[in-house]
Amino acid sequence: MLCQLALSALALSASAVASTSSTVDTYVSSEGPLARAGLLANIGPDGSKASGASAGVVVASPSTTSPNYVYSWVRDSSLVFKAIIDQYTTGQDDSFLDLINDFITAEATLQHLTSPSGNITTGGLGEPKFYVNETAFEGPWGRPQRDGPALRSTAMITFANHLIANGNTTWVKDTLWPIIQLDLDYVSANWNETTFDLWEELQSSSFFTTAVQHRSLREGSALATAIKETSVVSGYDTQADNLLCFLQSYWDSSSGYIVANTGGGRSGKDANTALASIHTFDPAAGCDAATFQPCSDKALSSLKVYVDSFRSLYGINAGVAQNGSVATGRYPEDVYYNGNPWYLTTSAVAEQLYDALTVWNTTGSLNITSTSLPFFQDLLPSAATGTYDSSSSTYTTLISAIRDYADGFLAINAKYTPTDGALSEQYSKANGTQVSAVDLTWSYAAALTAFSARNSTKYASWGAAGLTVPSTCTANPGSTVSVTFTVEKDTSNGESVYITGNVDALQDWNPTAALLMDDKSYPNWTVTVKLPASQVVEYKYLTISNGTVAWEADPNNSISTPAKGTLAANDSWQS
């Protein structure tokens, strides 16, 4: 009887797996063309939902209210066009050439706009978003965001490499390289400065940003070598080594996951890490842990911790077993639109697992370490540390289970995708109805890249294989300028004036570490500080007396530091 029950359970399990696989097969077949159409509808000038957008400009979403996403984000645009360029360069879609050229022209225009982040020489490349008619957005926002230049250069380098392989080196060198170099130089000079994170909420250091910056400099160095622009190679290589070294600091070995941000007070469990893994996937690097490749033990352990954080958080995940697929969001503490699953984060989990399967199926072996063991034991409780080749039952059982697990995440998105294939930003954690921005371009791009990964599509290596992490990290100081701050302020006995601001040199808004100013020219208080060159810096004065902190009134003060030389900032205390 027990044997019969066990066989019945296995039969039911196999039936459920077959059903999920069939569901996802159908979803990929139907949603693929719809996602492509949805993505193209949001790109100017001809997209049906991109009214007013210039040629090659990606509209994040046609949603105009609650929220208004009719802007072009450098990050979103670069990720969208990386997907387009990947499809074009691998022969999946030959119709994209004119669109790619429009994108290159549009982004070159945006690079040279003066914005609240500065101009081309004073930090403007860190500006996160623009109006879709290629003019600067001047409202308040989380600035700077330093992942955009890295992602944009990576998209364009992929296209450049394709052109070189097809004999068009001259156009790459004369036209494309100057655009790419601007972004790479920005990354090289500013990677160790604080940045707003992937979700534009926290200002610290971000795993996603560091990972994509590292990739951009590696492949940028290789491109520069190929077109004989060798003067930049040594600098890019040096900073890439430093980035790789810094990348290791996000790993929390005691908790078994990658901490997404160095500040902000959250747990650090974040889709940021899965997205970084898939957007720095290099099939030639195998399961390299230093670059957190999708099948590395650290990336898999982190994925488990991230997914598990949503199991009991969302109503639509209720009743799912510990080894079952669930809807995931940005991070468990999220409150944006009350905190819900996102299409792109749930598909990112599937994509990381598909990428891992691609490597294991290519190499014909799978390695389980003590770090990744909890991930594998969810899917096969008897799994143990060791290396298993394709002839072993452990390998075949795990490969099948992981494929089914990955399909489960796409099946969830399929369940909450309407029949017309429209993908919003989020779907309700309570009942799966669509929430927030409609027709999010990034959602469509994420669906397409996950579908390609499910088909084991391989793209060219970007140089992640065989890298050695330096024994010591060296932060890139970048260019600095001397800034003298002066503020007039009458103070009482025992009261002193301090300054803090949004860069490391001004102690990152930390009042307990704020810089004491000199009162030798009382009532003028002064201090001279070395600040990053070519950057918008926000700051505020405060007084401290017997441990009591009193800030001057809003708004923040702001300066744009020059590329070189000195600057004097003369202010009056804001009452």
Side-chain angles (χ1 to χ4, degrees):
M1 175 65 82
L2 289 175
C3 182
Q4 289 177 335
L5 287 173
L7 289 172
S8 297
L10 285 172
L12 287 171
S13 176
S15 174
V17 165
S19 175
T20 299
S21 177
S22 176
T23 296
V24 176
D25 286 342
T26 301
Y27 182 58
V28 171
S29 177
S30 62
E31 182 63 21
L34 295 173
R36 179 186 184 278
L39 182 151
L40 294 177
N42 290 349
I43 302 177
D46 300 324
S48 61
K49 297 181 180 180
S51 177
S54 300
V57 169
V58 177
V59 180
S61 159
S63 176
T64 57
T65 58
S66 300
N68 180 6
Y69 275 15
V70 185
Y71 298 99
S72 187
W73 271 264
V74 177
R75 175 195 306 110
D76 295 37
S77 301
S78 300
L79 290 170
V80 165
F81 265 92
K82 178 61 165 61
I84 288 173
I85 290 168
D86 279 343
Q87 293 211 356
Y88 174 77
T89 57
T90 55
Q92 298 176 68
D93 198 320
D94 294 331
S95 68
F96 285 145
L97 180 58
D98 289 343
L99 204 60
I100 293 168
N101 285 322
D102 286 345
F103 165 71
I104 292 166
T105 301
E107 293 302 313
T109 298
L110 296 181
Q111 281 183 327
H112 288 82
L113 285 183
T114 297
S115 69
S117 292
N119 59 35
I120 192 67
T121 60
T122 61
L125 293 178
E127 182 67 11
K129 72 175 186 178
F130 299 87
Y131 289 115
V132 298
N133 65 352
E134 297 179 290
T135 58
F137 170 72
E138 296 183 341
W141 205 254
R143 301 178 174 97
Q145 292 177 27
R146 305 188 196 277
D147 53 2
L151 293 167
R152 181 166 55 198
S153 62
T154 282
M156 292 191 186
I157 288 169
T158 301
F159 186 53
N161 289 336
H162 171 77
L163 294 177
I164 291 170
N166 286 275
N168 202 353
T169 301
T170 299
W171 190 82
V172 171
K173 184 178 177 70
D174 294 346
T175 303
L176 200 50
W177 173 251
I179 302 168
I180 293 170
Q181 185 181 357
L182 285 173
D183 281 339
L184 294 176
D185 286 351
Y186 179 87
V187 171
S188 183
N190 295 281
W191 68 263
N192 66 312
E193 297 292 339
T194 57
T195 177
F196 276 87
D197 71 335
L198 180 64
W199 312 122
E200 308 185 305
E201 295 170 342
L202 300 181
Q203 188 174 24
S204 59
S205 292
S206 163
F207 178 76
F208 179 86
T209 302
T210 301
V212 299
Q213 287 174 330
H214 173 245
R215 172 178 178 165
S216 71
L217 290 185
R218 292 290 182 198
E219 55 192 352
S221 174
L223 176 61
T225 300
I227 61 175
K228 297 182 171 54
E229 292 285 347
T230 55
S231 63
V232 301
V233 170
S234 176
Y236 291 171
D237 287 346
T238 296
Q239 298 313 324
D241 283 345
N242 291 333
L243 274 157
L244 180 61
C245 191
F246 182 55
L247 194 64
Q248 313 312 306
S249 67
Y250 293 93
W251 172 248
D252 183 342
S253 59
S254 62
S255 300
Y257 68 95
I258 305 160
V259 178
N261 299 293
T262 59
R266 299 201 296 244
S267 64
K269 301 169 186 176
D270 197 306
N272 167 324
T273 57
L275 287 161
S277 189
I278 64 175
H279 289 299
T280 58
F281 176 41
D282 184 339
C287 298
D288 175 58
T291 54
F292 297 88
Q293 290 299 303
C295 61
S296 67
D297 57 355
K298 292 179 180 178
L300 292 173
S301 176
S302 193
L303 189 70
K304 170 182 163 54
V305 172
Y306 161 71
V307 171
D308 285 353
S309 71
F310 293 97
R311 292 192 178 279
S312 61
L313 193 62
Y314 297 155
I316 59 175
N317 291 339
V320 177
Q322 174 61 32
N323 62 353
S325 309
V326 292
T328 67
R330 299 191 300 173
Y331 51 88
E333 302 89 348
D334 196 5
V335 295
Y336 182 58
Y337 277 82
N338 203 28
N340 295 290
W342 287 40
Y343 287 104
L344 71 91
T345 59
T346 305
S347 65
V349 178
E351 185 169 345
Q352 181 179 333
L353 294 170
Y354 292 138
D355 287 344
L357 288 165
T358 294
V359 173
W360 290 324
N361 286 327
T362 299
T363 60
S365 67
L366 178 153
N367 183 50
I368 302 175
T369 71
S370 59
T371 297
S372 59
L373 183 60
F375 166 83
F376 287 105
Q377 286 184 330
D378 272 352
L379 301 169
L380 180 63
S382 62
T385 58
T387 300
Y388 303 92
D389 65 30
S390 57
S391 64
S392 68
S393 60
T394 297
Y395 176 91
T396 55
T397 300
L398 280 172
I399 291 295
S400 177
I402 293 168
R403 171 80 175 189
D404 299 335
Y405 188 46
D407 276 353
F409 291 95
L410 288 190
I412 293 167
N413 276 358
K415 180 178 180 180
Y416 301 114
T417 298
T419 55
D420 64 359
L423 299 179
S424 61
E425 182 180 70
Q426 307 171 40
Y427 47 94
S428 167
K429 62 187 175 185
N431 57 27
T433 57
Q434 295 203 341
V435 179
S436 188
V438 298
D439 293 305
L440 191 77
T441 320
W442 190 0
S443 292
Y444 292 126
L448 293 173
T449 60
F451 298 167
S452 291
R454 188 174 188 259
N455 290 330
S456 300
T457 305
K458 292 182 182 178
Y459 302 104
S461 169
W462 57 264
L467 297 175
T468 301
V469 179
S471 56
T472 57
C473 299
T474 303
N476 173 24
S479 300
T480 60
V481 292
S482 182
V483 179
T484 298
F485 294 94
T486 302
V487 61
E488 182 179 354
K489 171 63 175 169
D490 289 318
T491 56
S492 58
N493 187 36
E495 186 179 40
S496 297
V497 178
Y498 294 75
I499 185 173
T500 187
N502 69 337
V503 293
D504 291 345
L506 292 178
Q507 304 304 313
D508 295 311
W509 296 116
N510 182 357
T512 63
L515 305 180
L516 176 64
M517 303 184 74
D518 193 309
D519 64 349
K520 289 180 181 177
S521 300
Y522 185 85
N524 291 321
W525 297 73
T526 63
V527 67
T528 299
V529 187
K530 291 283 190 181
L531 294 182
S534 305
Q535 184 169 328
V536 176
V537 175
E538 294 187 359
Y539 62 96
K540 236 176 190 175
Y541 301 105
L542 59 150
T543 61
I544 301 178
S545 177
N546 296 321
T548 300
V549 176
W551 295 83
E552 66 171 334
D554 290 332
N556 296 336
N557 302 298
S558 178
I559 57 170
S560 294
T561 58
K564 57 184 178 179
T566 61
L567 180 68
N570 297 303
D571 300 305
S572 296
W573 180 273
Q574 298 176 143
S575 300

